[in-house]
Amino acid sequence: MAQLIDGKKISQEIKDELRETVAELKAQGKEGALAVIQVGADPASSVYVRNKKKACEYIGIRSESYELPEQTSEEELLALIRKLNNDPKINGILCQLPVPAHMDEDKIIRAIAPEKDVDGFHAQNVGALVIGQKGFVSCTPAGIIQLLKRSGVEIAGKNCVIIGRSNIVGKPMALLMLRENATVTVCHSRTKNLPDVCRQADILIVAIGRPKMITADYVKEGAVVIDVGIHRQEDGKLCGDVDFAQVEPVAGAITPVPGGVGPMTIAMLMHNCVEAMQE
């Protein structure tokens, strides 16, 4: 039986620690506020936004909500971001992605001031990660590092295979694992002999976006398996990119879906917001 890596429990520990830090900062006269912008009413985005507001409330920072209609122009959104960049009471700005098709996502990300970019998507923050300088780190990869460390998984010297090369998970994940002294291989849709490559992994991180794609023949006996995917099946239940029932008997440790990586993303967003308060 694999050790179950409990993201709910670990994210709660992190939020409790942040709550204490926020109380200490407030005692020093420092307040925190996160501006959350949502354009349109995508149901999944609405759930995420609601969870972010709840997390802010829990740790003790203010959240300001900007719910804009789908037909909002790109210029109107950019004007709002400029206003928030210049507002000294706002420490963090988050624009919920995806934005509607008539907007340039890249332009929106670049418009957010790097020191308020608590999502860690701005090119300046990504560049800082590449060269090992201080900056906000993308929340999902940062959360995975915490999952591993707080579950007692040794990273240094281990073979880590990452499936997926997105700017939000795969690439920053590879950089963070390198920072922790792992030996890193990044795989993607063009990788040849993918199961063979994956079986070399002591730590396998899956962010490929295909339900239950990773079966037992991709996993070395005793490997740690981190599943970033989340999909709703026809029966309404959630599943990940990993076929949990198949892989769990082979793995040494594994994250469930739901309750694994998901809660960590919001915990690390809160971590970034608290860091922004301390600047």
Side-chain angles (χ1 to χ4, degrees), residues 3-271:
Q3 172 198 346
L4 208 59
I5 297 177
D6 188 344
K8 269 190 186 160
K9 180 171 160 285
I10 294 170
S11 70
Q12 190 59 49
E13 283 168 15
I14 291 170
K15 285 189 289 191
D16 288 342
E17 290 162 15
L18 292 171
R19 196 177 181 171
E20 282 178 29
T21 307
V22 169
E24 286 162 18
L25 289 168
K26 281 184 172 173
Q28 298 162 25
K30 289 183 179 177
E31 291 286 335
L34 171 68
V36 182
I37 306 167
Q38 182 183 358
V39 187
D42 175 73
S45 289
S46 298
V47 171
Y48 286 129
V49 166
R50 211 164 41 243
N51 288 341
K52 285 163 186 173
K53 287 184 202 162
K54 272 190 348 211
C56 282
E57 201 179 311
Y58 183 80
I59 69 162
I61 63 175
R62 198 162 52 83
S63 69
E64 283 191 9
S65 206
Y66 297 87
E67 282 154 18
L68 309 178
E70 182 94 21
Q71 57 273 27
T72 301
S73 73
E74 184 177 89
E75 192 35 64
E76 284 170 311
L77 175 57
L78 291 169
L80 170 61
I81 291 170
R82 282 195 293 272
K83 179 174 148 261
L84 294 169
N85 281 341
N86 294 323
D87 185 342
K89 291 194 176 76
I90 298 290
N91 313 86
I93 302 168
L94 183 152
C95 185
Q96 185 65 40
L97 302 176
V99 288
H102 64 274
M103 293 182 179
D104 179 345
E105 201 164 277
D106 255 4
K107 205 174 183 181
I108 306 304
I109 290 168
R110 285 199 306 272
I112 296 171
E115 67 278 9
K116 295 191 178 188
D117 163 45
V118 285
D119 257 336
F121 294 163
H122 192 286
Q124 188 173 313
N125 283 319
V126 176
L129 174 60
V130 173
I131 58 174
Q133 288 184 355
K134 196 175 181 316
F136 291 117
V137 176
S138 183
C139 302
T140 301
I144 290 168
I145 294 290
Q146 287 299 315
L147 274 182
L148 293 168
K149 287 185 167 179
R150 290 173 185 246
S151 302
V153 175
E154 178 71 40
I155 303 174
K158 295 293 176 67
N159 280 336
C160 171
V161 174
I162 298 163
I163 314 179
R165 54 176 165 180
S166 73
N167 291 339
I168 290 172
V169 181
K171 288 176 190 166
M173 192 73 247
L175 292 163
L176 284 177
M177 291 303 275
L178 283 172
R179 190 190 274 185
E180 298 294 333
N181 300 312
T183 300
V184 180
T185 304
V186 179
C187 300
H188 42 79
S189 56
R190 302 288 176 86
T191 301
K192 292 189 171 139
N193 307 322
L194 184 61
D196 294 348
V197 179
C198 291
R199 278 196 301 273
Q200 304 302 309
D202 303 308
I203 300 170
L204 179 64
I205 299 171
V206 188
I208 203 161
R210 294 189 201 160
K212 296 190 179 182
M213 178 183 153
I214 302 304
T215 52
D217 57 346
Y218 285 77
V219 181
K220 177 169 87 174
E221 186 82 41
V224 175
V225 180
I226 306 287
D227 188 353
V228 182
I230 188 154
H231 313 274
R232 194 167 291 283
Q233 300 176 97
E234 283 174 10
D235 61 5
K237 288 183 180 162
L238 295 173
C239 75
D241 293 350
V242 173
D243 188 329
F244 186 89
Q246 267 211 37
V247 171
E248 193 262 349
V250 184
I254 188 168
T255 56
V257 175
V261 173
M264 295 301 293
T265 301
I266 289 178
M268 297 319 286
L269 172 69
M270 293 301 109
H271 171 272

